[in-house]
Amino acid sequence: MTTLAHSPHAHAQTSVGQVMGTVMLALTPATLFGFWLYGWPAINLWVVSLGVALLAEAVSLKIMGRPVRGALLDGSALLTAWLLALSLPPWAPWWLAAVGSLFAIVLAKQIFGGLGQNLFNPAMAARVMLLISFPLEMTSWIAPLPITSAGAPGFVEGLAITFAGMAPADGMTSATLLGHVKTELGRDIVLPQALGSYFDPATFMLGQRAGSFGETSALLLLIGGLVLIVRRVITWHIPLAMLAGVALPALLANWIAPEAYLAPGLHLLSGGLILAAFFIATDPVTSPNSASGQLLFGFGIGGLTWIIRTWGGYPEGVAFAVMLMNAAIPVIDRYFKPRIYGRDRKGAALAPAKEATR
Amino acid sequence: MNVASEPFLKRLLVKAGLSSSLHKLRGGVHPEGRKDLSAEPPIRVLPMPERLYVPLQQHIGAPARHLVGVGEVVKKGQLLAASQGMVSAPVHAPTSGRVIAIGDFPGPHPSGLPMPTLTIEADGLDAWIDADPPADPFALSPEEVATRVGAAGIVGLGGAAFPAAVKLNLSRRNEVRTLIMNGGECEPYLTCDDRLMQERAAQIVEGIRLIAHATGAGEILVGIEDNKPDAIAAMTKAAAGGPVKVVKVPAMYPMGSEKQLIQVLTGQEVPAGGRAADIGVLVHNVGTAYAVQQALCLGRPLVSRIITVSGGAIMAPGNLEAPIGALAADLVRACGGLREDAARLVLGGPMMGTQLTSLDVPVIKGSSGVLALTVQEVEQTRPGPCIRCSSCVRACPMGLLPLEMAARIRAGDPAGAVDWGLKDCIACGSCSYVCPSHIPLVHWFNHAKGDLAARERLKMKNEATKKLADERSARMQRIAQEREEAARLRAAKKAAADAAKKAAAEAAAAAKAAAKAKEEVEA
Amino acid sequence: MIAALLSLTLLGLALGLGLGFAAIRLKVEGNPLAEELEALLPGSQCGQCGYPGCGPAARALAEGAAPVTLCPPGGRPLIEVLAAKLGVDADLSGAVDSGPKVAEVQEDLCIGCTKCYKVCPTDAILGAAKQVHAVFREACTACGKCVDVCPTEATRMIPLPATLQTWYWSKPEVST
């Protein structure tokens, strides 16, 4: 007696590797822009991140006695490292990327049981760990210095910056908008004054600003995000809810006290919000199952981000917000289930409604 | 149509003509149709095979009880096996000939287990029994129509094979108002209903009106997917001027599932654990309507059906009118045979059909297709880990969370999966179809459903055997007690006898001694 | 200070008295748990658990000396019931579940000695002296007693054969 293959005897043309590949493809424009904007050190950082992640994944799998090849080919480790690299300061030393990747793959992912089992987004867990452990390195921002411009570091200089700890010249360092605002508000300087000519929507949209290497170009990230939605890799729920989660409280606070609270547009275009909304919070493993749960999840991340940015000790709060909401997923999944056909929201069978129909 | 449960906005839009009066199907997938393979050629009649293998159980419910013996000569349409029990269906001879065997034969079942089967050697005459169709079937009472449908062995031809008469009677009792005819045919490859509607629309419409007559349904809707424009045109033409209304529904899997079609056409949902009749709806397949027409107007029981033979590995795909009991091999041969790259044989559609290990399996009343698929079409890959992408959640037409149910089952907790809605799963396969990790989700669900049923059986058996064991130990105790009692009695008797004997012996000894003493004295 | 000492002492006394009273007043004779557990066991006294019968096995269960997986004829449903009763996690990994079994009499070897018929705890063996015996599968708990007593090794345990009514899909292949 042989047991046969179970139906269905057909399958959609899709695989995990394909999903991950699409996400990486959608990230490519913003990444290339980051390469251009921050030059060779950023390229080095990206290579180190991905290389270490692949190695860590392979060794972890080997130790656990799982097939290595297939798991490496699914691209999940690469994507994690890619997202981590995009969220690091572009001229950060190589070991920052290496430690981050190692942490993300081994502690945040494989220890939990590998792909699909981790509670926290590995890239964000690693970023939070790095931010807490190496605050100085993680907040050393660089003014945009396109690779084609005169003062940009060459290939060798780039190696020296990434691997030998060569410090950037004084004029090159810069503060991010959120960091700047936090400092100025701390010195009791009101916003319009503090901002001055710092914020220009067009420049910010294109990404000509200080920040992590892949988070600055809102436009390119938006394009990538829309590609993912069109290709049905992600749905609109989390990104939209997350952006709304930031914009709504910002709008309210800015309307009440414009001198103390940033305008919503500024919030949306600064920090890693767009990157996180489309590429990080939408990580399938660490997001809720149902559409309603995803709306709550996204809105929660947005709201927490705004709270941390406004009242927290750190100027940027996306990574913390993502991790906090990650922790809430089991509860969200428990209470936000789709309604089952033929049942009401509570799960009781619908009444055989005879009278109700006519 | 019930619109009371519809949101106000939707009703306004429908009234204003801005929105279609159809309702939304939740979830669903868009598998590649591949219907063009077999949709063009007209239905051909399968040349009568030399032998037919007719299983006694071709329907949901109790197997039929055979009435003929080996060697008996039968006419086409003669009753071979009678239904037994409330839910059952009789089986008729698909051709004229001689019964040459009654016994186990491999059946179209995923277990590969043999089924009780009648083997008929065709005499080549294909001679019908004398039929006695009523002069005007519409003059019959609804009960009489249902009885004749049951006697003709008609079951749901969409695939579930539920006895049609049982459904008719149930519907009449529940005062069904809406009759929905399922022309969805959402399974890829299958075109048998499509061809039937194109070629025999008039008979189908007559059958539909008979079903409506049998149930008293006032509203009659025929739902046909919009990828079958020719069938829609033919049916609309045949139904013109009558009560039957043809409705175009969007092509999407599983549109042809009863619950989903009801939802799309009426906006109502069948209550969990209930039947369509609970909300005043009856759903039948268009093929069933054709069978009803044949039975009532011509007096011919269900002995053949239209079957799609298709797939990338079939030489000349098409639709065949095949007698029940013909081997899948007979059908494939009539369609030019297999290509070399046939990787999987399937009975039914690719989404819910059963794999066949061999083509030497008979087609039955519920068989809608025989497919031979290539490796590319099957697209089977080893499953990977779940990445919780929720594709399955979006695909599920029942609003379930397949990934959570599968996780529970995999952890050895099928009862936990029930809490997540396992019992509401219709096994349509949408979740397995979209899973990027190729996890066989429906396989897990059907395994868990079987596992739970097996546990229930074992529990009942344990209870029964415990009762037996208790009865036995009580009996043993009683026997032991009786034995003890008997032993004691015996012992007492023996003791008494011994005592008597002893006393007698003593007395004898005393007498002897006395005599001796006397002798001595005398001496 | 004194108030605290006093109140705590009083509290202790009151609670102690309460406990002592409860111990005397609510005393339970025997071990009701063992009896309840015995009612759950199959009662075929087959001894496969290593205890001389279902009663001793139930006592061992109640004392925690035996695992809830001890009873092979009970199968998984019994394990779950016992685990729920005792409030422990059923460790199914330890239980080798080779699926339900059933006794079978090989007709060519059976001499009709009725030995199996006599030991069967659930009267699942049919037959009479000098006649080939048969097993009534619905009543067989696969306790194995008939296998032990058969002089010709005609009885044996086989996996319960699936029928069209009982067959179901086996577990899918698990990915790594």
Side-chain angles (χ1 to χ4, degrees):
Chain A
M1 195 172 78
T2 47
T3 306
L4 312 178
H6 199 288
S7 58
H9 307 287
H11 198 280
Q13 302 279 335
T14 162
S15 68
V16 173
Q18 207 182 334
V19 169
M20 301 285 174
T22 312
V23 178
M24 286 190 253
L25 209 67
L27 276 175
T28 304
T31 310
L32 290 177
F33 178 77
F35 288 163
W36 173 76
L37 194 64
Y38 298 114
W40 283 106
I43 300 176
N44 294 336
L45 202 65
W46 184 82
V47 171
V48 170
S49 270
L50 267 63
V52 170
L54 274 188
L55 201 71
E57 178 100 341
V59 171
S60 306
L61 290 169
K62 192 98 196 158
I63 289 173
M64 291 190 291
R66 294 187 180 178
V68 176
R69 254 185 67 108
L72 281 188
L73 288 178
D74 72 21
S76 59
L78 278 183
L79 183 57
T80 296
W82 193 321
L83 288 169
L84 174 68
L86 294 189
S87 68
L88 293 178
W91 285 22
W94 70 273
W95 54 263
L96 206 61
V99 171
S101 274
L102 208 63
F103 182 88
I105 298 300
V106 177
L107 285 177
K109 180 179 166 190
Q110 294 294 351
I111 291 278
F112 281 86
L115 180 62
Q117 302 293 317
N118 46 304
L119 179 60
F120 295 104
N121 186 305
M124 288 301 100
R127 190 185 138 78
V128 163
M129 184 277 292
L130 292 175
L131 189 60
I132 294 170
S133 310
F134 311 104
L136 187 64
E137 287 81 359
M138 283 297 285
T139 50
S140 300
W141 310 105
I142 294 293
L145 191 63
I147 199 165
T148 47
S149 66
F155 176 65
V156 179
E157 228 180 319
L159 287 182
I161 288 169
T162 312
F163 294 99
M166 192 178 96
D170 265 355
M172 293 184 196
T173 57
S174 168
T176 62
L177 174 108
L178 292 171
H180 174 72
V181 165
K182 184 131 269 180
T183 321
E184 296 296 277
L185 283 175
R187 286 164 53 200
D188 288 334
I189 296 172
V190 291
L191 266 183
Q193 235 175 316
L195 281 174
S197 62
Y198 212 100
F199 177 68
D200 169 33
T203 341
F204 266 62
M205 197 70 198
L206 288 173
Q208 295 262 25
R209 61 171 169 105
S212 299
F213 111 62
E215 73 179 22
T216 58
S217 176
L219 186 68
L220 295 177
L221 289 169
L222 268 176
I223 292 173
L226 290 178
V227 166
L228 291 189
I229 292 179
V230 170
R231 297 295 311 273
R232 295 179 187 225
V233 172
I234 62 172
T235 58
W236 55 269
H237 302 83
I238 293 177
L240 197 75
M242 187 167 154
L243 297 181
V246 172
L248 289 182
L251 189 72
L252 198 70
N254 183 253
W255 178 62
I256 294 169
E259 71 284 354
Y261 298 102
L262 284 174
L266 260 156
H267 266 295
L268 292 181
L269 290 179
S270 56
L273 195 69
I274 302 285
L275 175 69
F278 286 95
F279 293 94
I280 291 170
T282 52
D283 168 30
V285 178
T286 56
S287 59
N289 294 327
S290 65
S292 50
Q294 288 174 353
L295 286 176
L296 179 73
F297 175 75
F299 198 82
I301 296 179
L304 284 172
T305 302
W306 183 79
I307 288 171
I308 296 170
R309 281 180 177 183
T310 308
W311 294 302
Y314 289 93
E316 172 60 310
V318 170
F320 292 104
V322 168
M323 284 193 72
L324 282 170
M325 289 310 288
N326 281 167
I329 287 175
V331 179
I332 295 177
D333 275 344
R334 181 103 193 82
Y335 290 102
F336 288 77
K337 298 180 194 168
R339 184 182 64 83
I340 298 175
Y341 179 107
R343 293 182 185 275
D344 62 15
R345 285 239 158 254
K346 284 178 187 143
L350 295 178
K354 262 200 182 146
E355 292 77 19
T357 51
R358 226 161 254 199
Chain B
M1 193 183 296
N2 165 40
V3 284
S5 58
E6 277 298 304
F8 178 69
L9 192 66
K10 164 96 188 173
R11 267 189 288 166
L12 267 187
L13 286 173
V14 172
K15 263 196 188 145
L18 291 175
S19 170
S20 114
S21 61
L22 292 180
H23 305 262
K24 222 174 124 30
L25 170 78
R26 298 171 66 181
V29 293
H30 290 100
E32 202 187 338
R34 310 225 62 192
K35 291 181 184 269
D36 48 327
L37 282 176
S38 58
E40 283 313 311
I43 297 169
R44 286 182 294 140
V45 175
L46 178 76
M48 185 57 66
E50 280 174 26
R51 282 181 186 175
L52 294 174
Y53 302 85
V54 188
L56 293 179
Q57 173 137 36
Q58 305 185 26
H59 49 264
I60 291 182
R65 184 169 36 86
H66 66 85
L67 303 171
V68 292
V70 175
E72 205 160 313
V73 174
V74 294
K75 281 271 178 71
K76 183 175 187 174
Q78 185 180 332
L79 187 65
L80 292 180
S83 63
Q84 48 178 359
M86 291 291 288
V87 179
S88 185
V91 175
H92 299 80
T95 188
S96 57
R98 205 164 51 88
V99 178
I100 57 168
I102 300 172
D104 285 346
F105 193 80
H109 191 265
S111 66
L113 287 171
M115 295 176 167
T117 302
L118 288 171
T119 308
I120 295 174
E121 194 172 50
D123 58 11
L125 301 173
D126 207 25
W128 278 95
I129 43 161
D130 300 325
D132 60 331
D136 178 12
F138 288 95
L140 297 175
S141 70
E143 291 81 6
E144 178 66 18
V145 174
T147 309
R148 282 180 181 252
V149 166
I154 297 176
V155 300
L157 296 186
F162 190 83
V166 178
K167 232 159 128 178
L168 289 181
N169 287 326
L170 192 76
S171 301
R172 203 174 50 251
R173 274 202 300 278
N174 280 277
E175 289 172 13
V176 156
R177 291 177 311 276
T178 308
L179 169 65
I180 292 179
M181 294 311 295
N182 189 346
E185 198 165 56
C186 55
E187 277 267 15
Y189 297 92
L190 301 187
T191 53
C192 52
D193 289 349
D194 184 11
R195 286 307 318 178
L196 190 70
M197 286 189 283
Q198 286 184 45
E199 298 181 24
R200 303 177 194 176
Q203 291 96 311
I204 294 174
V205 170
E206 193 167 17
I208 294 173
R209 286 175 48 223
L210 280 167
I211 295 175
H213 173 63
T215 54
E219 182 182 31
I220 308 168
L221 304 171
V222 185
I224 306 175
E225 277 193 356
D226 56 13
N227 59 2
K228 295 182 254 298
D230 295 340
I232 294 173
M235 287 294 288
T236 311
K237 196 169 151 224
V244 180
K245 200 173 129 202
V246 177
V247 185
K248 189 162 79 173
V249 296
M252 177 183 248
Y253 184 84
M255 185 59 74
S257 154
E258 177 172 302
K259 287 187 164 127
Q260 273 61 41
L261 193 62
I262 291 175
Q263 186 177 28
V264 167
L265 288 176
T266 72
Q268 285 182 283
E269 294 180 12
V270 180
R275 293 192 181 86
D278 291 340
I279 51 169
V281 178
L282 168 69
V283 181
H284 266 302
N285 181 270
V286 287
T288 313
Y290 177 75
V292 167
Q293 190 266 345
Q294 295 285 304
L296 278 130
C297 299
L298 306 177
R300 292 180 172 178
L302 178 62
V303 292
S304 66
R305 65 159 296 151
I306 318 295
I307 299 174
T308 303
V309 182
S310 185
I314 294 281
M315 284 298 202
N319 282 286
L320 296 172
E321 183 163 14
I324 304 302
L327 294 183
D330 297 328
L331 279 80
V332 170
R333 205 174 305 122
C335 287
L338 289 181
R339 281 181 207 276
E340 279 171 13
D341 56 351
R344 187 174 296 177
L345 306 167
V346 175
L347 189 69
M351 296 298 285
M352 289 185 77
T354 311
Q355 192 194 348
L356 300 173
T357 42
S358 135
L359 284 174
D360 291 329
V361 164
V363 294
I364 56 175
K365 293 174 183 174
S367 310
S368 46
V370 174
L371 307 180
L373 306 175
T374 61
V375 176
Q376 291 78 32
E377 287 174 300
V378 174
E379 171 85 21
Q380 195 178 30
T381 316
R382 276 180 61 82
C386 171
I387 58 166
R388 301 179 56 82
C389 65
S390 318
S391 296
C392 51
V393 180
R394 290 193 291 276
C396 181
M398 296 300 287
L400 301 174
L401 291 158
L403 78 170
E404 297 285 0
M405 301 198 307
R408 298 296 178 292
I409 299 165
R410 210 208 278 232
D413 180 22
V418 173
D419 296 339
W420 287 84
L422 179 65
K423 297 231 161 114
D424 291 302
C425 168
I426 55 168
C428 68
S430 297
C431 49
S432 298
Y433 177 80
V434 295
C435 180
S437 288
H438 293 252
I439 298 170
L441 290 154
V442 201
H443 187 169
W444 280 106
F445 302 151
N446 276 346
H447 162 69
K449 287 174 190 169
D451 189 29
L452 287 170
R455 286 183 195 206
E456 196 54 38
R457 276 197 303 274
L458 190 55
K459 211 163 107 189
M460 276 162 65
K461 182 176 169 178
N462 279 356
E463 273 163 26
T465 52
K466 185 171 164 52
K467 218 166 125 199
L468 283 175
D470 288 347
E471 276 168 19
R472 184 183 148 96
S473 37
R475 193 176 71 225
M476 287 302 163
Q477 219 167 359
R478 205 174 58 237
I479 292 172
Q481 230 165 31
E482 279 167 12
R483 276 205 191 130
E484 214 173 285
E485 191 72 15
R488 216 180 42 241
L489 273 177
R490 259 202 317 278
K493 232 184 231 167
K494 194 170 169 227
D498 283 355
K501 219 189 236 167
K502 204 171 161 192
E506 270 169 17
K512 213 169 171 186
K516 202 174 173 187
K518 198 178 175 185
E519 245 170 55
E520 271 170 14
V521 170
E522 277 170 9
Chain C
M1 177 70 186
I2 296 207
L5 268 177
L6 211 66
S7 59
L8 276 178
T9 313
L10 276 175
L11 195 68
L13 272 175
L15 289 174
L17 276 174
L19 279 174
F21 179 72
I24 296 163
R25 185 64 193 272
L26 304 173
K27 195 173 175 183
V28 179
E29 293 295 337
N31 193 343
L33 183 60
E35 277 165 33
E36 276 180 55
L37 289 173
E38 192 183 344
L40 296 173
L41 294 173
S44 51
Q45 325 289 353
C46 69
Q48 282 184 81
C49 52
Y51 293 92
C54 296
R59 278 195 291 283
L61 271 173
E63 288 157 13
V68 288
T69 52
L70 86 171
C71 178
R76 250 192 329 203
L78 179 67
I79 295 174
E80 276 159 17
V81 170
L82 289 178
K85 187 93 211 161
L86 293 170
V88 296
D89 277 331
D91 181 17
L92 289 164
S93 59
V96 185
D97 194 3
S98 50
K101 290 228 155 72
V102 74
E104 185 199 54
V105 178
Q106 289 161 276
E107 293 180 3
D108 48 342
L109 293 176
C110 179
I111 51 170
C113 69
T114 74
K115 276 193 175 149
C116 56
Y117 169 85
K118 281 176 189 151
V119 296
C120 180
T122 53
D123 295 331
I125 293 183
L126 316 169
K130 303 268 156 64
Q131 276 176 12
V132 172
H133 302 320
V135 177
F136 180 49
R137 282 182 181 161
E138 287 303 299
C140 175
T141 61
C143 70
K145 279 190 167 176
C146 50
V147 177
D148 296 340
V149 298
C150 182
T152 58
E153 292 183 1
T155 52
R156 59 174 179 180
M157 287 296 151
I158 55 164
L160 185 65
T163 65
L164 283 174
Q165 281 73 40
T166 62
W167 179 89
Y168 65 95
W169 285 96
S170 61
K171 212 176 217 173
E173 183 188 357
V174 177
S175 63
T176 45

